[in-house]
Amino acid sequence: VMHKTLTDALYSKCPIIYRYRDAADTENRTLMVWGFLCGSGWFELLINLSDSLEKNARLQQQAGVPDSKLPMINQVKEKFGGLRVYMKNGSPELHALIEKAQLASISICECCGDEGKMVVVDGYVMTRCSNHIGHVAN
């Protein structure tokens, strides 16, 4: 799980796309209640992606799109060594930004953010630099 200070930075910079992260009601609840289920090494990638998504959401909001129809991140996690970002109310443009970030993640160490590559350790696929092979990301 990403460090709390980095998680808080993402939430405060992008309040629209992460708006239901703490929703108590089941209608609006997202899997973001568990936080960012990936290592802190992907923070820079996520802050850049989130900022782009947030700017788009802000423009939609200013154009009168109701909150219920604005883009919203439902889950962020590591899967098979790469970043996965799941969004509700996305557009082809926003999904292309997400896809680009997901592709970039497989060459960035999930632990530290340095250049990395996909490796298999004990049957688990992960993206690591040479210093973090076998380390658990946090």
Side-chain angles (χ1 to χ4, degrees):
V1 177
M2 188 171 288
H3 289 153
K4 183 178 181 348
T5 54
L6 301 178
T7 295
D8 291 345
L10 281 158
Y11 288 157
S12 66
K13 185 172 176 98
C14 303
I16 299 172
I17 62 169
Y18 295 114
R19 66 188 175 278
Y20 290 135
R21 68 185 180 275
D22 295 324
D25 59 294
T26 55
E27 182 181 336
N28 291 315
R29 186 175 302 141
T30 72
L31 295 173
M32 290 307 299
V33 70
W34 305 110
F36 293 85
L37 301 176
C38 63
S40 298
W42 287 342
F43 172 76
E44 203 64 40
L45 188 61
L46 277 168
I47 196 85
N48 292 333
L49 171 63
S50 297
D51 188 49
S52 296
L53 299 175
E54 184 75 10
K55 284 178 183 171
N56 181 285
R58 196 175 310 117
L59 289 173
Q60 289 186 47
Q61 190 178 52
Q62 291 166 355
V65 174
D67 283 357
S68 63
K69 301 291 184 194
L70 292 174
M72 178 180 69
I73 301 298
N74 187 52
Q75 186 179 33
V76 177
K77 68 180 186 175
E78 176 278 331
K79 184 174 183 179
F80 302 123
L83 177 68
R84 298 292 184 272
V85 178
Y86 300 99
M87 169 179 269
K88 183 178 177 184
N89 301 327
S91 65
E93 174 192 356
L94 297 182
H95 288 294
L97 291 172
I98 290 170
E99 191 174 318
K100 184 178 175 185
Q102 290 179 164
L103 186 59
S105 73
I106 63 172
S107 63
I108 299 170
C109 178
E110 187 187 356
C111 296
C112 68
D114 286 347
E115 186 177 330
K117 64 179 182 177
M118 294 183 88
V119 295
V120 179
V121 177
D122 295 331
Y124 292 98
V125 180
M126 52 187 76
T127 302
R128 299 289 187 269
C129 66
S130 57
N131 293 327
H132 288 109
I133 290 177
H135 283 82
V136 175
N138 56 22

